[in-house]
């Protein structure tokens, strides 16, 4: 009962903090500004809560998903603009693009073009980003490319035979201060990917 009370309060507070444009930022109200990472985190959490029986407003979720779709479309256009040398542009798909795509796949919103570009640019992603891309491909039922991403990640896998454990040797000193450089979250998302694809594997058991 206490957990249910906490969930209701938390979900309600998130709904109250939704910005007028449907996204979420650090603050709501005056000078509100929605951030893609914050919005993706909130939408993912609300989807997970709803999946586990919590009462989540469909309207709140729909507005959050729509904001992410709009953001993704703008980022997709930037990548396409790069090929034509038209501003604004960016050279490749990013870790944030992988996170947003994964959350939109959870929301049953397809975008094969962004998935294609993310897979094309997978070597530009951090291990965290690759794990998110792998999950997005899994949700899109693209097993061939999903497994290719998993094999790419497993190049960093180290086994400790004595303790019968495994971990990813990330060597990511260049971006440890960014969200996609988090060692613990990267390990956790890789484990989530394994739990969804091969839960009884040596790799999954070792990480657990």
């Amino acid at each position: 009962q206490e957990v249910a009370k906490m969930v209701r309060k938390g979900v309600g507070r998130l709904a109250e903090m939704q910005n007028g444009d449907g996204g979420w930022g650090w603050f709501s109200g005056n000078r509100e500004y929605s951030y893609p990472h914050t919005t993706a985190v909130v939408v993912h959490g609300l989807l997970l809560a709803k999946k586990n029986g919590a009462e989540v407003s469909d309207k709140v979720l729909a507005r959050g998903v729509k904001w992410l779709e709009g953001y993704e479309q703008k980022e997709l256009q930037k990548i396409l603009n790069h090929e034509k040398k038209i501003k604004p542009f960016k050279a490749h798909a990013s870790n944030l693009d992988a996170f947003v795509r994964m959350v939109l796949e959870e929301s049953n919103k397809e975008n094969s073009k962004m998935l294609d570009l993310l897979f094309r640019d997978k070597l530009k992603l951090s291990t965290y980003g690759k794990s998110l891309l792998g999950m997005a491909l899994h949700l899109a039922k693209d097993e061939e490319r999903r497994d290719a991403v998993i094999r790419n990640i497993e190049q960093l896998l180290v086994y400790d035979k004595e303790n019968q454990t495994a971990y990813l040797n990330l060597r990511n000193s260049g971006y440890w201060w960014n969200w996609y450089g988090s060692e613990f979250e990267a390990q956790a998302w890789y484990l989530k990917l394994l739990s969804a694809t091969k839960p009884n594997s040596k790799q999954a058991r070792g990480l657990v």
Side-chain angles (χ1 to χ4, degrees), residues 21-83:
D21 60 5
W24 281 267
W26 286 109
F27 305 100
S28 58
N30 293 333
R31 297 185 180 181
E32 63 182 23
Y33 185 84
S34 298
Y35 292 93
H37 181 263
T38 308
T39 302
V41 168
V42 174
V43 173
H44 170 67
L46 291 176
L47 287 168
L48 190 60
K50 186 175 182 179
K51 183 179 178 181
N52 285 277
E55 291 187 18
V56 178
S57 166
D58 289 336
K59 183 178 179 180
V60 168
L61 257 179
R63 292 179 66 224
V65 169
K66 186 176 181 179
W67 190 95
L68 288 176
E69 285 186 291
Y71 169 82
E72 182 182 63
Q73 195 57 42
K74 291 176 184 176
E75 297 306 295
L76 175 60
Q77 190 59 54
K78 288 179 185 178
I79 302 172
L80 298 177
N81 284 349
H82 181 261
E83 300 171 0

Side-chain angles (χ1 to χ4, degrees), residues 102-155:
M102 192 277 297
V103 174
L104 288 174
E105 288 290 346
E106 289 181 316
S107 309
N108 297 314
K109 300 296 182 180
E110 299 178 358
N111 190 328
S112 59
K113 186 60 178 177
M114 181 57 90
L115 265 183
D116 290 344
L117 292 170
L118 280 163
F119 186 77
R120 182 198 70 180
D121 298 334
K122 61 184 179 298
L123 297 183
K124 301 286 187 181
L125 304 178
S126 69
T127 304
Y128 192 158
K130 289 188 184 79
S131 297
L132 294 169
L133 171 58
M135 185 62 77
L137 289 165
H138 175 68
L139 293 170
K141 296 180 172 56
D142 190 339
E143 297 179 2
E144 183 178 351
R145 293 197 294 183
R146 175 202 70 192
D147 292 345
V149 170
I150 292 175
R151 288 193 298 272
N152 187 270
I153 298 171
E154 286 179 349
Q155 296 178 52

